[in-house]
Amino acid sequence: VTPGDPLYGTVLTEAQTTQTFGQTSAAVQSVVAYLKSSGFSNVVASSDALTVTATGTVAQAESAFKTKIDSVKIGSVGTFVNVVPAYVPSALGGLVTAVEGLSGATMHSDLRAYGTTATCTQVPAIGTCVSGSLSAAGLRSFYDVGKVPTASKTTLATIAAGSLVGFAADVQSGEAAAGIKSVPVTIVPVGVASKDASALPEWDTDAETALGVAGGASRFYVYDTTSLGEADVTAALERFESDDVARAASISFGICEDVAQTDGSMLVDDTLLALAALHGQTLFAATGDLLDGCPAQQYPASSPYAVAVGGTTVLLTPNGPPAGEVAWPITDGGASLFETAPFWQSGITPASAGKLRAVPDLVLDGDPNSGALVVTHGTQTPVGGTSVSAPLALGLWGRLESAHGNALGFAATRLYHEYADLRTSADATPPTGALQQTIGGFNDLLLGTNGLPATPEFDFATGLGSLNETLQSADITR
């Protein structure tokens, strides 16, 4: 809802969104009946009357949806996709928006270990090569949490996949290292349990980074789905939305948006994220990095109903506090190929974006050479990637929610309204040689490039900029 509208800042309950946007019981049952008649098993309708899931063979799927599923390669990875669009009977045409799960394409983690890109990050503008890491206390200080209260009154979440064996012990050790009290963690199984624990460092990073900079939380939910397959991720996003218990969540993985658009998952997930926004929930999504080789932007970061978070290089110094931050050379950003710009980006994003969604929205520490310290497999280690950036945004947002009675609603509309309200004509021409400037609660970053340079005001390398938590708390409700 546009600022100034009487409904601006209000939220809808899950019951209200189900009543307003969900299908009737008869409509849902007609879809269920068709899937069962087509031979599918485990046919289950969601509680919000928005999705129906089922299990079937390739032959059953090809017959039911008049499609063709073939083996293909996406990059160097072999998988399967439907090479013919999926169709449903005309009787279901007004009920079914998309058919998802006909592709085996999987999302990928955005976590990078220290030293994976180089032993240090060259920053030519200041003639240094950055190498090191920041503790949770160091990150809290760098992003100036000051007297902004912890997120102790706010429930946060993350999306994970696979086995979480060892997760609880790692998080408790990470909390101790961060100097915070242990936060109650609720693991919500979504779908069939998996024994694959290979991605544990990712889930450790998501939880520990968010909780460390947040200083805690009232509770932390982990929506643990089967795999990073698109249909499994959709199931986790739906639980986040339909449970409506966490004010915000992070997701530190994604897929090229051209794949998500082609196979229907973009349409489904955008709907779920739009409903979450109506509840006042926010998903902070990692933008990924240029080394992934994606020809477009990463999804779900490019969704208009997510906050896209890119990475920075924090300018660590040997004997003092960091000198600031610049665009991380491989952080991703640019205009979406498919998603239209939401109204809150109007007049702020570069003209070259046209009417398309521009990412990132925010940037925070992501360079593994200035990364975060995380306990994984019982050992504290430095990590980076936008897998650090997204949960950092989650933790900082959690503090703001606690400071303002959990009444801020969807983060993107608040952040862009604040930025537009406090930006002045002087911001277009900052002092020569400046590393950054302040626009409201944002650190507008002026140096660095990911192929697209950081410039005054919004740009494709650093978006609105990074967050100054103390100034954000003062300005976020303008």
Side-chain angles (χ1 to χ4, degrees):
V1 178
T2 307
D5 189 288
L7 293 178
Y8 179 68
T10 61
V11 300
L12 300 180
T13 65
E14 174 61 17
Q16 288 172 321
T17 55
T18 298
Q19 181 179 13
T20 305
F21 302 105
Q23 292 285 359
T24 65
S25 177
V28 171
Q29 287 308 308
S30 65
V31 175
V32 169
Y34 178 70
L35 291 171
K36 288 182 176 179
S37 69
S38 299
F40 287 87
S41 59
N42 304 318
V43 183
V44 178
S46 63
S47 60
D48 55 10
L50 288 171
T51 64
V52 178
T53 59
T55 303
T57 65
V58 168
Q60 288 168 337
E62 288 180 328
S63 175
F65 304 117
K66 302 298 183 285
T67 188
K68 175 65 176 174
I69 299 174
D70 276 347
S71 297
V72 299
K73 277 192 173 182
I74 298 179
S76 61
V77 179
T79 186
F80 61 90
V81 299
N82 56 303
V83 294
V84 174
Y87 296 94
V88 296
S90 57
L92 303 180
L95 307 177
V96 177
T97 302
V99 178
E100 186 181 3
L102 302 181
S103 165
T106 60
M107 298 191 179
H108 61 268
S109 164
D110 295 318
L111 187 67
R112 290 196 174 274
Y114 175 77
T116 52
T117 55
T119 55
C120 63
T121 298
Q122 293 285 350
V123 185
I126 60 173
T128 189
C129 197
V130 173
S131 179
S133 59
L134 285 164
S135 66
L139 287 163
R140 294 194 294 264
S141 175
F142 182 69
Y143 290 111
D144 196 19
V145 302
K147 295 182 179 179
V148 180
T150 70
S152 61
K153 297 179 181 179
T154 301
T155 299
L156 304 175
T158 195
I159 310 298
S163 171
L164 294 179
V165 172
F167 174 80
D170 282 345
V171 171
Q172 288 176 357
S173 296
E175 289 169 327
I180 64 175
K181 294 181 180 179
S182 182
V183 173
V185 174
T186 298
I187 296 175
V188 181
V190 181
V192 179
S194 169
K195 295 182 179 180
D196 181 4
S198 61
L200 179 64
E202 175 66 81
W203 321 134
D204 288 339
T205 297
D206 292 346
E208 293 174 42
T209 304
L211 294 174
V213 77
S218 64
R219 182 169 291 277
F220 193 80
Y221 281 82
V222 182
Y223 289 95
D224 183 30
T225 191
T226 307
S227 74
L228 294 183
E230 290 176 286
D232 288 339
V233 173
T234 293
L237 291 174
E238 182 175 37
R239 283 298 301 271
F240 164 66
E241 178 273 322
S242 62
D243 284 357
D244 192 19
V245 292
R247 288 301 79 209
S250 67
I251 189 166
S252 289
F253 47 85
I255 196 168
C256 285
E257 61 177 356
D258 54 338
V259 178
Q261 192 273 342
T262 300
D263 64 19
S265 63
M266 177 181 284
L267 185 58
V268 177
D269 292 351
D270 275 356
T271 300
L272 295 172
L273 293 175
L275 293 175
L278 288 173
H279 298 324
Q281 298 175 286
T282 302
L283 182 75
F284 293 93
T287 61
D289 63 58
L290 300 176
L291 298 184
D292 296 330
C294 180
Q297 301 307 310
Q298 178 165 284
Y299 188 83
S302 66
S303 171
Y305 309 108
V307 173
V309 189
T312 67
T313 298
V314 176
L315 303 178
L316 303 175
T317 58
N319 301 306
E325 59 191 325
V326 298
W328 181 30
I330 63 171
T331 191
D332 215 344
S336 170
L337 293 181
F338 307 101
E339 298 277 28
T340 56
F343 72 80
W344 48 87
Q345 288 196 319
S346 177
I348 293 176
T349 55
S352 59
K355 296 182 179 180
L356 295 171
R357 162 85 161 116
V359 299
D361 299 303
L362 300 173
V363 285
L364 294 160
D365 186 19
D367 187 337
N369 293 320
S370 67
L373 289 172
V374 170
V375 176
T376 186
H377 296 298
T379 301
Q380 192 173 56
T381 184
V383 296
T386 51
S387 285
V388 169
S389 311
L392 277 177
L394 171 65
L396 292 171
W397 183 253
R399 280 183 176 264
L400 295 175
E401 282 280 31
S402 280
H404 295 280
N406 290 310
L408 294 179
F410 179 50
T413 51
R414 285 283 186 186
L415 293 169
Y416 276 87
H417 179 61
E418 173 196 349
Y419 183 89
D421 192 42
L422 294 174
R423 183 177 54 168
T424 69
S425 58
D427 297 325
T429 54
T432 301
L435 280 174
Q436 59 192 57
Q437 64 180 345
T438 300
I439 301 178
F442 302 93
N443 302 314
D444 177 23
L445 307 186
L446 306 174
L447 291 179
T449 180
N450 61 353
L452 300 167
T455 60
E457 305 182 310
F458 190 105
D459 56 70
F460 290 134
T462 64
L464 298 171
S466 67
L467 298 177
N468 179 301
E469 191 77 345
T470 295
L471 294 179
Q472 278 293 332
S473 189
D475 293 334
I476 193 66
T477 56
R478 288 179 67 92

